[in-house]
Amino acid sequence: TKRWNIQNDESYNKQSIAEAATLIKEGNTVAFPTETVYGLGADATNEAAVAEIFKAKGRPQDNPLIAHVATVEQLRRLVDNLPTYAEKLIDAFTPGPLTFVLPSNGACAENVTAGLSTVGVRIPDHPVAQQLLQLADIPVAAPSANLSGKPSPTNAEHVWEDLQGKIAGLIDGGPTGVGLESTVIDCTQDIPIILRPGGVTKQQLEAVVGTVMIDPGLANEKEKPKSPGMKYKHYSPEVPLLLVAGTAARMQATIDEQQIKGNRVGVLASEQIARQLHRVEIRNLGANLHEIASNLYDGLRAFKQGDADVIICEAFSEEGIGQAVMNRLKKAASEIIR
Ligand code: TXA
Ligand code: MG
């Protein structure tokens, strides 16, 4: 795996990103930073190249990938039909952490869409991703650059840990910003439907297009999610995670209980709660929901087997970006303590 560090030097950056774009054009896989999480990219029109992504990640074959492009014009070249509301969403939120599920025109390889009639397309808002996509000048299929089942990578070390030796290249562009994946929105019905909550909130979307639905499969255990990826085990830390709703006192009681059992405990909490806890190793995720979103996956990866037996994590507010934070935490949790 070739690794480029492009955090500081502008001239070196261009050279590195050009090399990475060439690798992708030649049918190889390259991990790169976006504003949400790192992606593992390959030529979306090359079936064999896309197959390498599935192989490196150990990803189930029926889980479709997002095609990344630099411009709206390139997005149009992948889809059949754009409803008026989708045009409005494109105007308002691209480039940005929003993925549009639209009727596919067949331009992407069949394994990108996992045989579905729709394709997910995103225009990322990150200078490195933008430059890479412009230089490659092809749609780039890119799931999050983690091993399937693990938390998504929010820095190059996370990618290295999971995929070193399994991919052709890694562009280290430093930590990502948003820290959670894009919002996936189905734009094939009369009303847009959120398939995965993410970087753009429901309130932000509704401010532009009015009513937005949430896939009932996300909240209801009995209903199957519309997005194939949402049914898999996800974001799993190395040790079990207990998600604790309520106050600092409730968290402290859970910590004490675990320690009495002889378990080594690691805590993930907001700054406000962290300050009130005692006698335990704590990762402070930040003072507000945006900071918490940005630090969450690094926190989930921080407590390794051997260092901790259990993670105790605060249940956060589901307002705004909190909806995406809690969606991920509920999937990561082995138990929710209310
Ligand atoms: O922020 C992100 O979206 C990151 C960065 C790299 O762009 N990518 C990402 O990709 O999170 P991935 O593969 O980890 O998640 C894509 C999600 C999956 O849940 C997948 O099932 C869903 O999008 N998806 C992709 N195409 C779809 C389609 N045509 N219909 C329904 N869901 C789709
Ligand atoms: Mg993923």
Side-chain angles (χ1 to χ4, degrees), residues 38-289:
Y38 274 72
L40 178 59
D43 178 354
T45 64
N46 178 339
E47 179 125 23
V50 172
E52 290 298 314
I53 293 178
F54 283 90
K55 199 170 127 202
K57 281 183 58 92
R59 183 175 175 105
Q61 298 291 330
D62 68 344
N63 192 3
L65 308 180
I66 297 169
H68 293 67
V69 292
T71 65
V72 178
E73 193 196 318
Q74 288 176 314
L75 178 150
R76 287 183 205 283
R77 278 187 233 143
L78 304 180
V79 304
D80 246 353
N81 172 50
L82 276 181
T84 314
Y85 70 76
E87 298 272 7
K88 286 188 193 163
L89 292 174
I90 287 171
D91 281 347
F93 298 109
T94 64
L98 186 60
T99 294
F100 300 87
V101 170
L102 291 159
S104 165
N105 69 3
C108 287
E110 200 157 289
N111 51 356
V112 172
T113 57
L116 299 176
S117 61
T118 55
V119 62
V121 190
R122 179 162 109 79
I123 306 177
D125 185 17
H126 187 288
V128 173
Q130 270 289 332
Q131 213 182 341
L132 179 70
L133 292 169
Q134 276 164 26
L135 291 172
D137 199 29
I138 42 171
V140 171
S144 49
N146 52 282
L147 286 175
S148 212
K150 296 238 288 175
S152 295
T154 49
N155 65 44
E157 262 333 287
H158 298 159
V159 180
W160 198 246
E161 199 176 276
D162 280 13
L163 299 176
Q164 183 204 355
K166 298 182 169 177
I167 61 179
L170 163 60
I171 308 177
D172 182 348
T176 61
V178 178
L180 298 177
E181 302 85 345
S182 62
T183 303
V184 178
I185 191 154
D186 179 351
C187 298
T188 63
Q189 312 287 319
D190 293 341
I191 293 176
I193 307 170
I194 295 175
L195 304 184
R196 175 177 74 181
V200 177
T201 65
K202 182 168 186 272
Q203 294 88 321
Q204 287 176 298
L205 296 166
E206 287 188 327
V208 174
V209 289
T211 307
V212 173
M213 286 184 21
I214 294 190
D215 175 8
L218 291 186
N220 183 341
E221 299 280 291
K222 282 180 214 104
E223 226 162 312
K224 197 171 141 217
K226 291 187 202 302
S227 178
M230 299 308 281
K231 68 173 187 268
Y232 293 109
K233 190 171 165 56
H234 256 99
Y235 319 112
S236 303
E238 286 193 13
V239 299
L241 181 142
L242 308 183
L243 189 57
V244 180
T247 59
R250 189 88 196 73
M251 292 233 356
Q252 188 68 54
T254 312
I255 293 164
D256 295 348
E257 208 173 281
Q258 287 295 324
Q259 288 177 334
I260 287 164
K261 283 191 201 163
N263 285 334
R264 284 164 305 172
V265 177
V267 169
L268 299 174
S270 64
E271 192 174 307
Q272 295 84 332
I273 295 286
R275 243 190 268 123
Q276 304 175 59
L277 302 175
H278 312 282
R279 301 177 304 276
V280 70
E281 194 185 331
I282 304 175
R283 274 239 157 186
N284 168 1
L285 295 181
N288 60 59
L289 285 169

Side-chain angles (χ1 to χ4, degrees), residues 2-58:
K2 166 119 202 216
R3 183 167 172 165
W4 301 275
N5 186 328
I6 61 144
Q7 293 173 70
N8 298 311
D9 182 340
E10 281 258 341
S11 58
Y12 180 54
N13 286 359
K14 286 228 172 74
Q15 175 66 31
S16 310
I17 299 173
E19 274 177 40
T22 303
L23 275 182
I24 288 181
K25 284 214 257 202
E26 289 172 347
N28 302 292
T29 53
V30 175
F32 61 96
T34 81
E35 80 279 31
T36 57
V37 301
Y38 274 72
L40 178 59
D43 178 354
T45 64
N46 178 339
E47 179 125 23
V50 172
E52 290 298 314
I53 293 178
F54 283 90
K55 199 170 127 202
K57 281 183 58 92

